[in-house]
Amino acid sequence: MIEISGSLDFAETEVGTTKELDVTIENPGNDGILIIDEVQTPDGFSVNLSSLTIEEGESTVLKVLFDPTVAKAYSGEILILSNAEDATIDVLGIGFIVTSTRENQLP
């Protein structure tokens, strides 16, 4: 069994910057060692690991990064492939471009 906790709504993030959120992956036990074989991410998102082993009763933090390259809405699922079961986490973020204006500018 695999348990996942955390919310992955990155809201608005400026294009060219990176925002990080954490998700906890837990092996509550009874099924032996949890082996995560692969973590797949949608466009615009990445994680800090590709494979992992979690002992019974232990957990680990998965760092998820959002790095928008264009101004648009990004969404999808992170897919965690493991020996116990596969799990998904919904992710959402919006890339935006900052435009500056000068105050008190004479016409």
Side-chain angles (χ1 to χ4, degrees), residues 72-87:
K72 69 174 191 171
Y74 293 78
S75 64
E77 292 180 334
I78 293 176
L79 176 61
I80 299 173
L81 305 173
S82 77
N83 64 326
E85 63 186 342
D86 296 342

